């Protein structure tokens, strides 16, 4: 298989000594770690405000349950618990804020080793990934966290002569773990179209294979939801249903990619056929023998 001059130039540009690769890797790591550290400090400085922002869905749940949202109360039972909760929140927020920078550094590190068409194909997925993650996180914040907390609030018991008072008083660390787990789970699930589209583009998956495995995908979606979410049916169903819908979106995206690849293949074949005809036409006069 012959290699064009353009491809040879790209191969020569992408080749570099090992030491240069290591220096480049160190520089990208320093930018990524530095960006995360700055974002961590920023989030830790505003940790209490960020935590109060995360408590807003809990207040919405109290309204849904017919309770007073001004009486929402969280507790911590160890002296250092709230401090480490703020550290955990700052780390989580720092990673979310620094993710675009980290993803950009990863792309800049691997981009020199890719062909131009491969770089152009990879870049849209780099942009789509954080957008889809934010969509999943927004769904958690505005709907599923209030729904889950409403479910737990409904289990409270009013004290009477026959029964004791049972009230929900979440610990700050447990509430943060709950909402972080939900955000991470939904953000991860919302990457499904990106992953399947990349695998389709490189030939590891096809829309036909995805459609044939639909039944298994539904079963796996509920299993994954049961593992990633708290042990209540509301959050499990709430994660499984978007996962199934995203799987259908992945099938549709795979078909679009295959259709585009087929158009490109046909265009290449026509171009190759035209070049062969032109070559034969150019060789024809030289092959004629003078009479």
């Amino acid at each position: 298989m012959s290699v064009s001059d353009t491809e040879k130039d790209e191969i020569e540009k992408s080749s570099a000594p090992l030491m240069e690769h290591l220096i480049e890797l160190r520089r990208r790591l320093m930018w990524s770690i530095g960006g995360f550290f700055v974002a961590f400090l920023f989030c830790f400085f505003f940790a209490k405000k960020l935590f109060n922002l995360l408590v807003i869905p809990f207040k919405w749940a109290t309204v849904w349950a017919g309770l007073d949202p001004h009486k929402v109360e969280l507790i911590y039972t160890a002296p250092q618990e709230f401090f480490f909760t703020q550290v955990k929140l700052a780390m989580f927020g720092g990673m979310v804020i620094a993710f675009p920078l980290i993803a950009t550094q990863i792309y800049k590190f691997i981009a020199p080793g890719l062909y131009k068409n491969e770089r152009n194909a990879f870049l849209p997925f780099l942009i789509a990934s954080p957008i889809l993650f934010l969509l999943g996180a927004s769904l958690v914040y505005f709907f599923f966290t209030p729904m889950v907390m409403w479910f737990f609030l409904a289990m409270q018991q009013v004290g009477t002569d026959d029964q004791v008072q049972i009230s929900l008083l979440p610990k700050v660390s447990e509430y943060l773990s709950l909402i972080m787990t939900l955000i991470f789970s939904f953000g991860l699930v919302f990457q499904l179209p990106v992953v399947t589209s990349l695998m389709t583009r490189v030939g590891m998956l096809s829309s036909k294979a995805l459609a044939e495995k639909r039944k298994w995908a539904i079963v796996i979606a509920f299993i994954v939801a049961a593992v990633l979410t708290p042990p209540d049916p509301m959050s499990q169903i709430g994660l499984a249903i978007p996962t199934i819908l995203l799987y259908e979106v992945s099938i549709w995206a795979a078909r679009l990619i295959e259709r585009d690849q087929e158009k490109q293949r046909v265009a290449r074949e026509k171009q190759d056929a035209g070049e062969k005809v032109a070559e034969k036409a150019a060789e024809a006069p030289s092959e004629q023998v003078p009479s």
Side-chain angles (χ1 to χ4, degrees):
M1 181 177 179
S2 61
V3 181
S4 64
D5 294 337
T6 304
E7 291 178 341
K8 288 180 180 179
D9 293 337
E10 290 188 7
I11 293 173
E12 291 177 359
K13 290 179 181 179
S14 64
S15 61
L18 177 60
M19 187 57 65
E20 291 185 14
H21 282 301
L22 293 177
I23 294 173
E24 179 70 12
L25 177 61
R26 183 185 65 177
R27 184 171 63 176
R28 300 303 174 191
L29 285 174
M30 290 177 64
W31 272 102
S32 300
I33 295 173
F36 168 75
F37 185 69
V38 171
F40 168 80
L41 292 178
F42 175 81
C43 292
F44 185 76
F45 183 78
F46 295 101
K48 289 186 178 180
K49 292 184 178 180
L50 290 174
F51 192 86
N52 288 326
L53 189 66
L54 293 177
V55 174
I56 292 177
F58 189 10
K59 294 182 178 180
W60 294 339
T62 59
V63 175
W64 294 2
L67 303 174
D68 186 3
H70 299 288
K71 294 183 178 179
V72 171
E73 183 179 359
L74 287 85
I75 63 171
Y76 60 97
T77 57
Q80 74 280 7
E81 180 179 345
F82 191 43
F83 171 77
F84 285 112
T85 299
Q86 294 180 68
V87 172
K88 188 186 297 184
L89 176 59
M91 291 180 66
F92 183 77
M95 183 59 67
V96 172
I97 294 175
F99 177 79
L101 174 63
I102 296 173
T104 302
Q105 296 305 313
I106 294 174
Y107 174 75
K108 287 184 177 180
F109 178 72
I110 65 176
L114 302 175
Y115 291 120
K116 184 178 180 180
N117 61 337
E118 292 174 337
R119 292 195 294 268
N120 294 335
F122 186 76
L123 190 59
F125 298 106
L126 187 65
I127 298 173
S129 182
I131 293 175
L132 290 173
F133 184 89
L134 289 176
L135 286 176
S138 300
L139 192 63
V140 169
Y141 185 85
F142 291 104
F143 181 70
F144 283 103
T145 299
M147 183 182 66
V148 171
M149 295 309 299
W150 169 79
F151 177 81
F152 291 144
L153 284 169
M155 297 181 179
Q156 293 185 124
Q157 181 173 282
V158 180
T160 61
D161 295 336
D162 300 330
Q163 57 188 20
V164 299
Q165 175 77 23
I166 301 177
S167 301
L168 175 63
L169 293 175
K171 294 173 63 178
V172 291
S173 58
E174 292 176 351
Y175 178 78
L176 180 64
S177 298
L178 171 65
I179 196 167
M180 283 174 53
T181 300
L182 289 173
I183 290 175
F184 177 78
S185 302
F186 278 77
L188 187 65
V189 166
F190 270 63
Q191 303 304 309
L192 183 61
V194 174
V195 175
T196 54
S197 297
L198 282 172
M199 295 179 71
T200 301
R201 188 173 290 276
V202 300
M204 297 177 63
L205 276 178
S206 66
S207 59
K208 182 179 179 181
L210 290 171
E212 290 176 350
K213 303 298 182 182
R214 183 181 281 109
K215 294 180 180 179
W216 287 101
I218 294 174
V219 175
I220 294 174
F222 279 95
I223 294 175
V224 172
V227 173
L228 295 179
T229 59
D232 66 277
M234 301 293 290
S235 57
Q236 292 174 8
I237 295 173
L239 179 58
I241 291 177
T243 304
I244 296 170
L245 294 177
L246 287 169
Y247 188 83
E248 296 297 328
V249 172
S250 301
I251 296 175
W252 174 75
R255 288 172 179 167
L256 290 180
I257 292 172
E258 289 172 347
R259 193 179 305 167
D260 183 63
Q261 289 178 338
E262 181 64 21
K263 289 180 180 179
Q264 292 178 3
R265 185 186 65 82
V266 172
R268 284 196 302 268
E269 289 179 354
K270 289 182 179 180
Q271 184 179 359
D272 293 341
E275 291 176 356
K276 289 180 180 179
V277 171
E279 290 176 0
K280 289 181 179 180
E283 293 174 357
S286 62
E287 293 177 355
Q288 292 180 354
V289 179
S291 57

